[in-house]
Amino acid sequence: MEENIYMLPDGEIRRRVGQKIRHLRLRQNFTQASLAEQAQVSLTTLKKIEKGDISYFDSLMRVLRVLGELDVFSPLIKEDEMSPNEYFEFVEASKKKQRKRASGNIKSNPQPNTEESEW
Protein backbone atom coordinates (compact mmCIF):
# COMPACT_ATOMS: atom_id res chain seq x y z
CA MET A 1 0.00 0.00 0.00
CA GLU A 2 1.38 3.40 -1.00
CA GLU A 3 1.79 5.98 1.73
CA ASN A 4 -0.18 9.23 1.43
CA ILE A 5 2.41 12.00 1.14
CA TYR A 6 -0.19 14.57 2.20
CA MET A 7 -0.40 12.94 5.61
CA LEU A 8 3.34 13.31 6.27
CA PRO A 9 4.67 16.31 8.20
CA ASP A 10 6.90 18.70 6.24
CA GLY A 11 9.98 17.70 8.22
CA GLU A 12 9.48 14.03 7.34
CA ILE A 13 9.15 14.86 3.65
CA ARG A 14 12.38 16.91 3.77
CA ARG A 15 14.14 14.08 5.62
CA ARG A 16 13.06 11.53 3.00
CA VAL A 17 14.11 13.81 0.14
CA GLY A 18 17.50 14.19 1.81
CA GLN A 19 17.84 10.41 2.17
CA LYS A 20 16.94 9.96 -1.49
CA ILE A 21 19.55 12.50 -2.58
CA ARG A 22 22.19 10.74 -0.47
CA HIS A 23 21.18 7.39 -1.98
CA LEU A 24 21.41 8.82 -5.54
CA ARG A 25 24.79 10.40 -4.79
CA LEU A 26 26.23 7.14 -3.50
CA ARG A 27 24.72 5.09 -6.34
CA GLN A 28 26.35 7.46 -8.86
CA ASN A 29 29.64 7.25 -6.94
CA PHE A 30 29.86 10.95 -6.06
CA THR A 31 31.62 12.08 -2.93
CA GLN A 32 29.85 14.84 -1.04
CA ALA A 33 32.68 17.20 -1.97
CA SER A 34 32.56 16.42 -5.70
CA LEU A 35 28.77 16.69 -5.88
CA ALA A 36 28.83 19.98 -3.95
CA GLU A 37 31.49 21.35 -6.29
CA GLN A 38 29.65 20.34 -9.47
CA ALA A 39 26.35 21.63 -8.12
CA GLN A 40 28.05 24.88 -7.06
CA VAL A 41 26.83 24.63 -3.49
CA SER A 42 28.94 24.51 -0.36
CA LEU A 43 29.80 21.19 1.21
CA THR A 44 27.96 22.33 4.34
CA THR A 45 24.82 23.01 2.26
CA LEU A 46 24.95 19.56 0.66
CA LYS A 47 25.39 17.89 4.06
CA LYS A 48 22.37 19.81 5.34
CA ILE A 49 20.29 18.81 2.31
CA GLU A 50 21.15 15.15 2.87
CA LYS A 51 20.02 15.50 6.50
CA GLY A 52 16.70 16.99 5.36
CA ASP A 53 17.59 20.58 6.23
CA ILE A 54 16.57 21.98 2.85
CA SER A 55 16.51 25.73 3.22
CA TYR A 56 17.15 26.90 -0.32
CA PHE A 57 15.24 25.63 -3.30
CA ASP A 58 17.98 26.82 -5.69
CA SER A 59 20.53 24.61 -3.97
CA LEU A 60 18.18 21.63 -4.14
CA MET A 61 17.65 22.21 -7.89
CA ARG A 62 21.40 22.42 -8.54
CA VAL A 63 22.03 19.14 -6.73
CA LEU A 64 19.16 17.39 -8.53
CA ARG A 65 20.41 18.72 -11.88
CA VAL A 66 23.88 17.20 -11.37
CA LEU A 67 22.33 13.91 -10.24
CA GLY A 68 20.14 13.87 -13.37
CA GLU A 69 16.93 13.97 -11.32
CA LEU A 70 15.65 17.45 -12.11
CA ASP A 71 12.76 15.92 -14.05
CA VAL A 72 10.94 15.33 -10.74
CA PHE A 73 9.72 18.91 -11.21
CA SER A 74 8.36 18.26 -14.72
CA PRO A 75 4.74 17.84 -13.61
CA LEU A 76 4.93 21.15 -11.79
CA ILE A 77 6.24 23.20 -14.70
CA LYS A 78 4.44 21.47 -17.57
CA GLU A 79 1.71 23.62 -19.03
CA ASP A 80 -1.69 22.02 -19.14
CA GLU A 81 -2.88 21.23 -22.63
CA MET A 82 -6.27 22.50 -23.65
CA SER A 83 -8.94 20.14 -24.82
CA PRO A 84 -10.42 20.93 -28.26
CA ASN A 85 -13.50 22.37 -26.55
CA GLU A 86 -11.42 24.58 -24.25
CA TYR A 87 -9.38 25.80 -27.23
CA PHE A 88 -12.55 26.64 -29.19
CA GLU A 89 -13.97 28.56 -26.22
CA PHE A 90 -10.68 30.41 -25.78
CA VAL A 91 -10.57 31.44 -29.45
CA GLU A 92 -14.21 32.53 -29.44
CA ALA A 93 -13.72 34.55 -26.26
CA SER A 94 -10.65 36.28 -27.69
CA LYS A 95 -12.59 37.19 -30.85
CA LYS A 96 -15.22 38.91 -28.74
CA LYS A 97 -12.62 40.84 -26.78
CA GLN A 98 -10.77 42.15 -29.84
CA ARG A 99 -10.54 45.90 -29.87
CA LYS A 100 -12.17 47.76 -32.71
CA ARG A 101 -9.58 49.60 -34.76
CA ALA A 102 -9.90 52.97 -36.40
CA SER A 103 -10.62 52.78 -40.13
CA GLY A 104 -7.72 55.04 -41.05
CA ASN A 105 -9.99 57.67 -42.63
CA ILE A 106 -8.98 60.94 -41.08
CA LYS A 107 -11.73 63.50 -40.97
CA SER A 108 -10.30 66.90 -41.62
CA ASN A 109 -11.56 69.79 -39.59
CA PRO A 110 -12.19 72.59 -42.11
CA GLN A 111 -11.74 75.34 -39.53
CA PRO A 112 -8.83 74.96 -37.13
CA ASN A 113 -9.51 75.91 -33.55
CA THR A 114 -8.14 79.46 -33.32
CA GLU A 115 -9.65 80.18 -29.95
CA GLU A 116 -6.99 80.99 -27.38
CA SER A 117 -6.91 79.08 -24.15
CA GLU A 118 -7.55 80.90 -20.91
CA TRP A 119 -4.49 79.23 -19.47
Side-chain angles (χ1 to χ4, degrees):
M1 184 168 95
E2 192 170 310
E3 191 170 16
N4 185 349
I5 194 168
Y6 292 96
M7 299 303 292
L8 296 174
D10 295 350
E12 179 62 16
I13 294 171
R14 286 191 305 269
R15 187 186 70 74
R16 290 185 187 189
V17 168
Q19 282 181 337
K20 180 68 172 188
I21 288 172
R22 181 176 188 277
H23 172 77
L24 291 167
R25 175 181 62 79
L26 292 172
R27 192 172 76 199
Q28 294 181 34
N29 204 24
F30 278 105
T31 63
Q32 284 181 322
S34 65
L35 178 56
E37 182 180 332
Q38 287 190 41
Q40 299 178 348
V41 299
S42 71
L43 180 58
T44 304
T45 297
L46 180 62
K47 287 179 178 181
K48 285 181 177 181
I49 288 172
E50 286 189 358
K51 288 180 183 175
D53 185 7
I54 304 168
S55 302
Y56 298 102
F57 187 73
D58 289 351
S59 298
L60 176 63
M61 284 193 315
R62 290 178 188 153
V63 169
L64 290 172
R65 178 174 280 121
V66 172
L67 293 172
E69 297 292 330
L70 197 57
D71 58 328
V72 299
F73 296 117
S74 291
L76 296 175
I77 62 174
K78 184 177 134 184
E79 291 189 27
D80 293 334
E81 293 182 17
M82 285 189 210
S83 71
N85 287 340
E86 289 172 324
Y87 180 75
F88 176 78
E89 289 172 8
F90 174 77
V91 169
E92 290 301 308
S94 67
K95 284 180 184 176
K96 292 177 185 174
K97 292 180 184 176
Q98 279 185 338
R99 190 176 131 203
K100 302 260 186 213
R101 304 251 178 212
S103 64
N105 296 334
I106 301 174
K107 295 181 182 179
S108 60
N109 191 354
Q111 296 178 341
N113 188 358
T114 55
E115 213 176 280
E116 285 192 31
S117 172
E118 293 180 17
W119 293 93

